[in-house]
């Protein structure tokens, strides 16, 4: 547990420090050399820490076995190529996982490099929202998700050829990413689909009501769910219970607090849209609302159903980053800065409390491969 405190704290410090330095370098037009060092160092640091891990992520040990001894599982062409290339050069498995972590964080950061004010918060919110659990657990899909973020960035910058290239590349890491293609016609309209706050609040509350009655419905249509899972590449989860245990990073109180933050974002959404005044923000906000709806209807322990919607969950920590910056810098309300410090301190404290609740079976306590691998 002590090692987990040290490792995750070091990630927090590096991400916050270098993210802040990058933002200041861009804001005050300092040399590109300084800003590039501040941009790349946390990415490389994250890649090294995640690459050196052992049994952090439910499927991590299984992937190590696949890397060392081969597998009968048919991986997607991009993931398989990367694994085979690393094996052909006789690289230790830590390099393989480090490269994957580098791709994830590089795509995540690069997608918001032009919004330099977000960099101090993006990595922090990734951890305190518990989204990073998915990065070390659903490795292939998480990598596809991060690559898709680059596709969205190209879409927002109207670089449509690169948009298609990154979309195709994401599919080579997890074929379920093909379902994201259906979003583009809606995004091309560049409309604000969630402009009415009252409607959003009603939807947000209604989702919890709907969720209460769904478990019995899901059990009745389990054959249909199985067929659906096989079609989108989640048939491996059919060997588990439909309502299987999921990695958990905290308590129910933390979940309530997270939903209060999400509700606060909804209530402030009109002012935030005016404040950022950016089409990209509208796109991110639309996907954030989709994430809230799907995450609360299909909780993480319903693995077969929640996994396809996992692509949207990344927009929760991203929106938290926007919200933190908004609270810190806007002048709409004199209490915003107080809310800013309350939000940051509470979610960071909740993250550290959650570490004390983790057990070996949670696959979240950090250990180096040279300590745990036999």
């Amino acid at each position: 547990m002590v090692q987990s405190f040290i490792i995750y704290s070091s990630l927090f410090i590096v991400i916050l420090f270098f993210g802040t330095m990058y933002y200041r370098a861009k804001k005050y037009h300092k040399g590109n050399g300084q800003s590039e060092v501040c941009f790349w160092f946390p990415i490389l640091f994250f890649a090294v820490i995640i690459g050196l891990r052992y049994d952090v992520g439910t499927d991590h040990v299984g992937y190590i076995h696949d890397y060392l001894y081969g597998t009968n599982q048919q991986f997607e062409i991009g993931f398989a190529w990367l694994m085979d290339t690393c094996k052909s050069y006789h690289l230790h498995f830590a390099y393989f996982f480090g490269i994957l972590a580098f791709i994830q964080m590089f795509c995540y950061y690069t997608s918001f490099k032009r919004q330099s004010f977000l960099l101090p918060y993006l990595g922090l919110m990734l951890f305190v929202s518990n989204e990073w659990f998915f990065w070390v657990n659903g490795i292939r899909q998480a990598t596809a998700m991060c690559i898709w973020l680059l596709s969205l960035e190209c879409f927002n910058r109207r670089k449509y050829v690169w948009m298609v290239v990154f979309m195709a590349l994401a599919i080579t890491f997890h074929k379920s990413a093909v379902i994201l293609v259906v979003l583009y016609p809606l995004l091309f309209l560049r409309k604000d689909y969630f402009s009415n706050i009252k409607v959003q609040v009603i939807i947000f509350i209604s989702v919890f009501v709907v969720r209460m009655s769904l478990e019995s419905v899901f059990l009745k249509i389990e054959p249909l769910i199985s067929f659906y899972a096989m079609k989108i590449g989640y048939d491996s989860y059919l060997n588990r219970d439909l309502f299987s245990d999921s990695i958990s990073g905290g308590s129910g109180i933390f979940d309530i607090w997270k939903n209060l933050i999400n509700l606060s974002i909804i209530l402030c959404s009109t002012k935030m849209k005016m404040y950022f005044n950016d089409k990209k923000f509208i796109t991110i906000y639309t996907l954030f609302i989709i994430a809230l709806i799907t995450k609360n209807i299909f909780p993480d322990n319903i693995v077969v159903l929640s996994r396809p919607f996992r692509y949207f969950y990344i927009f929760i920590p991203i929106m938290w980053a926007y919200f933190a910056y908004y609270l810190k810098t806007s002048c709409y309300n004199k209490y915003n800065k107080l809310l800013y410090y309350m939000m940051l301190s509470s979610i960071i404290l909740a993250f550290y409390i959650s570490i004390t609740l983790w057990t070996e079976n949670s696959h979240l306590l950090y250990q180096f491969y040279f300590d745990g691998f036999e």
Side-chain angles (χ1 to χ4, degrees):
M1 184 183 299
V2 174
Q3 184 166 265
S4 295
F5 272 98
I6 295 172
I7 293 297
Y8 297 132
S9 295
S10 66
L11 279 169
F12 280 2
I13 293 169
V14 167
I15 286 169
L16 278 172
F17 176 78
F18 284 94
T20 302
M21 293 299 292
Y22 178 80
Y23 170 56
R24 290 180 176 176
K26 288 298 182 181
K27 183 177 181 180
Y28 298 111
H29 306 288
K30 296 183 179 180
N32 285 333
Q34 178 181 332
S35 64
E36 289 304 304
V37 169
C38 293
F39 178 79
W40 286 100
F41 187 82
I43 297 174
L44 292 170
F45 188 74
F46 176 84
V48 170
I49 293 298
I50 299 302
L52 292 175
R53 78 189 191 276
Y54 180 76
D55 198 23
V56 180
T58 307
D59 297 331
H60 185 239
V61 174
Y63 277 116
I64 291 176
H65 184 276
D66 294 341
Y67 185 84
L68 294 176
Y69 307 111
T71 177
N72 293 324
Q73 185 174 351
Q74 294 295 316
F75 291 131
E76 290 81 1
I77 187 172
F79 184 85
W81 175 84
L82 180 60
M83 178 181 283
D84 291 342
T85 301
C86 290
K87 290 170 66 175
S88 68
Y89 285 98
H90 305 289
L91 296 181
H92 191 278
F93 63 76
Y95 285 97
F96 172 63
F97 291 107
I99 292 170
L100 286 168
F102 175 85
I103 293 172
Q104 291 172 346
M105 187 59 85
F106 169 78
C107 294
Y108 184 56
Y109 262 36
T110 302
S111 299
F112 296 92
K113 191 175 184 180
R114 292 161 64 91
Q115 291 77 37
S116 58
F117 58 86
L118 287 181
L119 259 63
Y121 303 106
L122 282 175
L124 175 66
M125 297 306 179
L126 179 71
F127 278 88
V128 297
S129 68
N130 296 340
E131 178 60 24
W132 77 280
F133 296 168
F134 180 57
W135 285 33
V136 297
N137 185 48
I139 299 173
R140 287 154 46 225
Q141 188 181 358
T143 305
M145 175 188 68
C146 293
I147 296 171
W148 176 55
L149 288 178
L150 278 182
S151 178
L152 282 179
E153 172 64 4
C154 293
F155 163 78
N156 285 299
R157 296 175 64 182
R158 300 180 186 274
K159 296 184 176 182
Y160 298 125
V161 173
W162 283 108
M163 177 194 78
V164 174
V165 169
F166 286 120
M167 183 70 256
L169 185 59
I171 295 171
T172 68
F173 275 83
H174 206 284
K175 62 184 178 182
S176 67
V178 72
I179 65 178
L180 299 171
V181 174
V182 301
L183 282 175
Y184 286 99
L186 295 175
L187 297 179
F188 265 108
L189 297 176
R190 300 183 186 276
K191 290 184 177 181
D192 183 3
Y193 294 100
F194 300 100
S195 58
N196 189 307
I197 292 179
K198 290 183 180 179
V199 172
Q200 293 176 66
V201 172
I202 291 172
I203 292 173
F204 183 73
I205 296 173
S206 299
V207 161
F208 294 96
V209 177
V210 172
R211 175 175 169 173
M212 293 172 62
S213 61
L214 280 182
E215 182 169 340
S216 60
V217 175
F218 290 147
L219 289 173
K220 291 177 182 178
I221 61 171
E222 187 169 355
L224 181 61
I225 294 173
S226 299
F227 175 78
Y228 154 80
M230 293 177 67
K231 288 297 182 182
I232 63 170
Y234 289 104
D235 46 301
S236 60
Y237 291 99
L238 297 178
N239 295 324
R240 309 178 187 183
D241 291 336
L242 178 61
F243 298 92
S244 63
D245 292 331
S246 175
I247 52 177
S248 177
S251 66
I253 295 176
F254 186 33
D255 289 335
I256 293 172
W257 179 239
K258 288 193 291 185
N259 278 310
L260 286 175
I261 294 174
N262 295 329
L263 181 59
S264 299
I265 292 172
I266 291 174
L267 295 174
C268 294
S269 60
T270 299
K271 291 180 179 179
M272 289 176 68
K273 290 170 185 176
M274 293 172 58
Y275 185 77
F276 292 108
N277 191 27
D278 181 16
K279 290 290 186 182
K280 179 175 180 176
F281 180 81
I282 299 298
T283 300
I284 299 297
Y285 186 78
T286 298
L287 296 169
F288 163 74
I289 295 297
I290 294 174
L292 293 186
I293 294 171
T294 55
K295 184 177 180 65
N296 289 311
I297 288 182
F298 307 113
D300 288 345
N301 66 322
I302 310 178
V303 179
V304 171
L305 293 178
S306 66
R307 271 297 183 92
F309 299 107
R310 265 290 188 172
Y311 291 102
F312 302 113
Y313 298 179
I314 188 63
F315 296 101
I316 294 175
I318 291 171
M319 189 53 61
W320 283 18
Y322 272 106
F323 189 50
Y325 180 78
Y326 165 78
L327 290 178
K328 185 179 181 182
T329 58
S330 69
C331 300
Y332 287 111
N333 191 315
K334 63 181 180 180
Y335 297 111
N336 277 2
K337 282 197 174 181
L338 175 61
L339 291 173
Y340 166 80
Y341 289 112
M342 286 178 59
M343 173 187 171
L344 282 191
S345 59
S346 61
I347 57 181
I348 291 174
L349 177 62
F351 178 80
Y352 281 110
I353 291 174
S354 71
I355 293 179
T356 65
L357 303 176
W358 294 345
T359 65
E360 291 184 2
N361 292 330
S362 68
H363 305 283
L364 295 172
L365 291 171
Y366 190 91
Q367 58 180 326
F368 291 101
Y369 77 84
F370 40 77
D371 292 329
F373 181 68
E374 297 180 359

